[in-house]
């Protein structure tokens, strides 16, 4: 359990009324310093839609069922621009609360357990935790956008290791799996896989490669066999790579902005689409499955970070609304 401060419970019942807010972030990556799509990439909102975007737009939105809403450690201590969420094997929920410079832990029911992040960045302190991923051993790995550090915490909140990414520039996404930690270095277009020791195993993709190029990758996850899956918020694509960085396949996924991706239990992929206030779901072969909106009472305004638990419930970070939603997909 993380160190506990003097705060209380902030998990609200799904039936609680939530104030609606206008979507003011036209394109999350632009606001956070990332570039536009490169030629040949997926169209941005307002441009002529490509085939995948037409399919997604034509589909009727399916409404999720809200199971839980987290707004921070307490009513008096709300989240401040959260961007990432992860679920570990015991069901604990970890939120990368970027604006508050902390990683916050809740139990599976939403009860606040503690937080970490204060202290010297050279010793594992956090400046701008932008994403978090769970590891098979129950630890969590945090990506700090400002420092470029990758910090691993155990279940007690103790820093296991902290190491800098090589030349990271505006990184936004992190994933962890059987072949190590993978970072989406959005500002340079690279994907970087690290060994458990923190040493670089391979750098791949990028803006100038002949096959499997990424322009602004912002979300990354892994499959059980170690396959790496990256979402490119500028191109609007989803691409798969072998652990050695070899390109496997990719397709237009109709999602733009600070896009994140999570692999669901059936092997399909769910992407946040902050530029359009929605989620989109695709099969691994690029077949469209569904697009999702909020419930009748709770609007999804600016979805970024995503996670899934052992039951199949999905966790959505709604950054502009400073909350995390636990939902069931229809």
């Amino acid at each position: 359990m993380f160190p506990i401060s003097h705060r209380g419970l902030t998990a609200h019942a799904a039936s609680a009324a939530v104030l609606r807010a206008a979507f003011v972030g036209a394109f999350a990556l632009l606001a956070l310093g990332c570039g536009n799509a490169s030629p040949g990439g997926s169209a941005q909102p307002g441009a002529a839609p490509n085939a995948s975007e037409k399919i997604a737009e034509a589909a009727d939105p399916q409404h999720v069922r809200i199971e839980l809403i987290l707004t921070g450690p307490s009513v008096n201590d709300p989240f401040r621009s959260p961007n990432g969420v992860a679920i570990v094997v015991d069901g604990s929920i970890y939120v990368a609360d970027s604006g508050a410079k902390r990683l916050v832990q809740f139990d599976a029911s939403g009860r606040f357990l503690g937080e970490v992040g204060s202290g010297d960045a050279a010793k594992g302190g956090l400046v701008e935790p932008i994403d978090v991923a769970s590891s098979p051993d129950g630890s969590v790995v945090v990506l700090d956008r400002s420092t470029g550090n990758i910090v691993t915490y155990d279940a007690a909140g103790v820093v296991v290791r902290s190491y800098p990414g090589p030349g990271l520039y505006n990184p936004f996404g992190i994933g962890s799996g059987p072949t190590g930690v993978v970072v989406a270095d959005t500002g340079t277009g690279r994907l970087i896989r690290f060994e458990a020791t923190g040493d670089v195993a391979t750098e791949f993709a990028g803006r100038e490669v002949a096959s499997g190029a990424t322009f602004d990758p912002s979300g990354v996850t892994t499959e059980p066999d170690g396959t790496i899956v990256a979402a490119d918020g500028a191109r609007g694509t989803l691409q798969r790579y072998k652990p050695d960085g070899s390109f496997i396949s990719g397709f237009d996924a109709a999602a733009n902005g600070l896009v994140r991706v999570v692999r669901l239990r059936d092997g399909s992929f769910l992407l946040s689409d902050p530029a359009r206030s929605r989620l989109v779901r695709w099969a691994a072969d690029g077949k469209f499955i569904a697009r999702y909106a909020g419930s009748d009472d709770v609007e999804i305004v600016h979805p970024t970070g995503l996670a899934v638990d052992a039951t199949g419930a999905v966790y959505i970070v709604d950054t502009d609304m400073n909350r995390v939603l636990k939902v069931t997909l229809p």
Side-chain angles (χ1 to χ4, degrees), residues 40-43 50-53 235-238 250-255 271 282 286:
S42 181
N50 61 28
S52 294
E53 288 164 342
R235 290 178 180 268
T237 58
L238 189 70
F251 56 87
D252 288 321
L271 291 83
W282 300 85

Side-chain angles (χ1 to χ4, degrees), residues 19-115:
L19 295 176
R20 295 177 180 269
F23 175 47
V24 297
F27 188 18
L29 287 182
L30 294 180
L32 292 169
C34 298
N36 294 310
S38 60
S42 181
Q44 298 290 349
N50 61 28
S52 294
E53 288 164 342
K54 289 178 180 178
I55 292 171
E57 288 295 334
D60 291 329
Q62 300 185 34
H63 293 276
V64 301
R65 185 173 73 233
I66 307 295
E67 306 288 352
L68 183 71
I69 301 175
L70 297 173
T71 58
S74 75
V75 173
N76 296 321
D77 185 20
F79 291 137
R80 285 173 275 175
S81 297
N83 273 283
V85 62
I87 313 299
V88 297
V89 290
D90 68 356
S92 295
I93 306 162
Y94 293 83
V95 179
D97 192 12
S98 307
K101 304 181 180 182
R102 62 187 176 182
L103 180 67
V104 187
Q105 181 191 24
F106 302 86
D107 69 12
S109 69
R111 181 172 62 92
F112 171 65
L113 296 179
E115 63 182 62

